[in-house]
Amino acid sequence: MDKIGPLFEEKQNYLEKINSYFCNNRMGYIKVPTGWGKTFLAKHLMKQYVENKKRVLFLVSRNNQLLTQTFYGDDGYPLFPESVVLSSEHDKVGIDKLQNLIKRGAGGIIFASLQTIISKNNGEIKDILSQNSDLLIIDELHNFIDNRGNTFITEFDNRNTKIFGMTATPFQGVVGNVKFVEDISIDMQEIFSKTLPQCIMEGQLCELNYRIIRSDEDILNLFDFKEGLSTLDKEDLFLDCSTLDNIQLVAQRTYLAKRIYDDKIENKQRKTLIFCAPVRNIIHSFGENEKKINAFHAKLSAAIFNNELKEGKFDPTISFSNYTSDGQFKEAVYLSSDLPKKEPDKILQAFKIIGQPPFVLCTVGMLIEGFDFPELENLILLRPTLSMRLFEQQVGRITRKSPNKTRGNIFEIVDNIDSLYDKFGENVFEEKKLQRLQMLQPEYRIEELFTEDFTTEAIHTGKIDISEISFIRGIVNEFHENSVQIPPLSLRAKYFCKGLAILEQKTVGSRKGELRHPYLNLMRMAIQFKVHNNDEASEISKLIELLDKLEQESQDDPRLSNNCKKNKPKVFNEVKWLLKLTALTSLKYTNIDLEEKNNILNTLLGFEGDYNEIDNYRVECLKNGGGRVSISQLSKGLRNMNELVRLFREAKDWFRIDVYWASCFIEDDSELKELFQSREWNYKVREFIIKQR
C-alpha cells in the first residue's frame, strides 16, 4: 500500500472532507474534471478502510480498462495485497476465495465490473458483496443513472455501507432529456466539486488551444436526417455513406482536419487521438462488389492521415490496414470491432510508446471514458455530439498534465447548420429541438464547459485559447484564423433574430394561441444573453432597438387580426424587458471595475445613469415586462414546492414565464435562492433554466 504515493495538501484536505461528510451521511459524490486525480484520491480512501480492517467494493460499469488501471500498480502487481478483481477480462474468482477474503477480517478490496456482479450466474456473489461491504466506491457514477446500476445501489442490503461516487459529468442524456446523479437516490448529495477552468487556472490541468475548423459543407449533405428533427433526439449524428458521392464528401470533410493538422502540429510524433463519427447506411458499392465495413469513418480517417487518399479524394479500390508491408504499425491506425481479439490492446500499448508509431489513433465510440494517457497532446473531433457529457469526456482525454506537454491541442470540424432552419422552419424553435440544435455549434458547448460558475478568466488570460479556421472560398490550401467570441453573443443574436422573424410573420393569435410557441422560444432565448463588455452591450442594444421597433410596428400593422394586434405588441414588449433584465443581471455579477460597468450601463438603451442604481433598473424591468411590482411579489407565487414540481412536469407555460423572470433574481432573494437550490426542485429545472443563465 506504500506504492500509492502521498497526497498533496489540497487532496489531503478533500480526503478529510469526505471522511467528515460520511460521519453523518450515507451517500455522496464528488464532481471533478477528468485528469484531476479522483481515482488517486479514492485509492487513499480505500487504504484508510483497509488499514481499519474494513472491506471496500470498487465498482465500474462497462469500463474494464479503468478497472484494470485501478487494480494494478505501476509495477504490474495488484496495488493492494488483500484484493481480487471480478470482471470478464480477468480470471474467474470462486465463491470460496471471495468468502475467505471477507472472513479473514483483515480488510480487503474487491474491484468489480457491475455487469459481472449482476449477471444471472453471480447472484450469490452479488449477495455476499452487498451484505459485507463497508464502503462502496463507484467510479464514473453517471453510468449508474436510471439503469441496473441504479437498482443495484438502491437494493444494497447493508444499510451501514457508505456509498461514494466519483464523476466528471454528473448527468446522462441529450439536452432536453437529461437525468442527474441525484436521481439515483434522495441521499446522493454532492460533497465537493471543482470545474475544468478552475483546475486549468490552478495549474492542475494543462492549458488548451481549441481550434474550430469551418467546413462550410451543408450538414444535410453529410449526415443522415431522414428521420427529420427526431434525429436530434440521440447523442450522435450518423454520417450518410450510402453512395460514393456521399463518401467523397465525408472524405473531403476529414481531409480538412488533416490539412490543419499538417500546418499546426510541428512535431508529428506527438500522439493524436481522433474521435470519428458513426455511420448509417454503411453498405456501399466498391466496383462490382458490395461491402459492409465496420468503423468505416475511423478506417477512412486513418487512410487520409496516412496520405493514402490524396487531398481527400476517395478511391473505391482502397484496402484498409493498420500495418505496413513489413508488418509494422502505420503512422495512423484505427480501432474497430472486427479486429482480432487481442489486437486493440496491442494497438493501445504501441500508441502509448512515445516516439514510435502509431502516432495517430482513430476510433468510433471507444476510449471516451477511462483512457488514461497524459502524453496525449492532440485531439481531433470529427464527431458531432448532442451530449454535454460525451463532449466533456472527450475533452478530458487531453487535459491531463505531463512533463513533456506544455499545452493540449483540440481541433473540431464544424458544418453549416443554417439549412436545418430553412428546411424545418418553425419546428426548429420547439424547446428541446432548439437546445439540441445549438449543441451542434461548438461555441455553446465551449461556453458551458469552459465558463462554469460564470467565469471567463481562463479564456481571458489565454490559458484556454479559442479560435476559428475558415478556408478561403473553399480553397483547401488557403485559410485564415480568427478569435472566437465566448460567450457566443453574436451567434445567439443571429438565431434570436430568426426567432423574431417567425413571430413577425404571425398575423393571427394570442399569447396562448398561435403566438404561443414563438413567444415562449424568444423568452427562453432571452435569458441566455450575458454582457461582459461594451461591445456585447452594444450588440444587445441593437436587439432591444429591433424589439422596440417591432413592438411599435405591430400596433399599427394592417395585416393583423384584432386579437393579434392586441397581443403581439405585448409579446415584443415582454421579450424586450426580459432581455434588458438578463443583461443587467449578468452585468451586476460580472467581475469588472465600476467605471467599465457604468460605460456598459450607458450603452444599454434606457438606462443612462449611475451603476449604483442597477437594482432599481432591474426591478423596473420586472414591472414593465413581468407585471410584478417587486421581487417578493414574484417569489410569493413560486413557494409551493409540490405545486411547482407538478406545474413544471406538466410544462405549464405561464409557470415557466415566472421562472424565467425569477431566474434573474436568485442572488437577490433568499427564498428564490433556496427554491432554485433545493433538492426537491432544482435538479428538475437546472437544465431548463440554470444552465441557460
Side-chain angles (χ1 to χ4, degrees), residues 38-180:
K38 62 182 185 300
T39 306
F40 183 69
L41 180 66
K43 290 175 181 178
H44 279 268
L45 184 61
M46 296 182 216
K47 179 181 177 182
Q48 286 184 347
Y49 271 72
V50 171
E51 288 176 344
N52 288 316
K53 298 183 178 181
K54 294 184 177 181
R55 291 175 290 273
V56 179
L57 172 59
F58 180 89
L59 203 59
V60 301
S61 177
R62 301 189 187 282
N63 198 333
N64 285 327
Q65 183 180 11
L66 176 59
L67 190 66
T68 299
Q69 288 173 185
T70 312
F71 176 68
Y72 290 107
D74 294 336
D75 57 5
Y77 292 94
L79 192 62
F80 296 90
E82 296 291 328
S83 64
V84 296
V85 59
L86 307 176
S87 81
S88 59
E89 293 188 4
H90 296 81
D91 294 335
K92 187 174 182 179
V93 176
I95 296 292
D96 292 342
K97 183 176 180 179
L98 195 59
Q99 288 178 328
N100 288 335
L101 176 64
I102 291 172
K103 288 178 180 178
R104 278 199 291 270
I109 303 177
I110 295 91
F111 296 84
S113 162
L114 172 68
Q115 285 67 40
T116 297
I117 291 178
I118 63 176
S119 68
K120 293 181 180 179
N121 298 327
N122 289 330
E124 189 175 354
I125 288 178
K126 174 185 172 184
D127 292 340
I128 291 173
L129 294 177
S130 61
Q131 294 169 14
N132 294 279
S133 298
D134 298 297
L135 173 67
L136 169 60
I137 298 179
I138 303 171
D139 209 346
E140 309 292 4
L141 178 64
H142 52 269
N143 289 328
F144 287 67
I145 300 172
D146 198 30
N147 58 25
R148 295 184 69 186
N150 195 152
T151 303
F152 177 75
I153 294 172
T154 56
E155 291 179 351
F156 228 69
D157 294 332
N158 187 350
R159 305 306 294 177
N160 294 319
T161 302
K162 305 297 184 183
I163 300 177
F164 174 61
M166 303 182 293
T167 179
T169 51
F171 49 86
Q172 281 274 29
V174 296
V175 175
N177 187 26
V178 173
K179 296 183 181 297
F180 300 91

Side-chain angles (χ1 to χ4, degrees), residues 293 298-304 306 308 317-336 338-339 343 347 358 360:
I293 301 181
K299 294 176 179 178
L300 178 69
S301 299
I304 289 173
N306 283 324
E308 295 168 357
T317 66
I318 190 170
S319 178
F320 299 115
S321 172
N322 279 332
Y323 293 93
T324 63
S325 58
D326 58 358
Q328 302 300 311
F329 280 120
K330 294 179 179 178
E331 293 195 356
V333 299
Y334 58 82
L335 287 176
S336 71
D338 58 352
L339 290 171
E343 189 72 5
I347 291 172
V360 177

Side-chain angles (χ1 to χ4, degrees), residues 359-370:
F359 302 114
V360 177
L361 179 57
C362 307
T363 177
V364 179
M366 300 173 67
L367 309 184
I368 294 174
E369 294 181 352

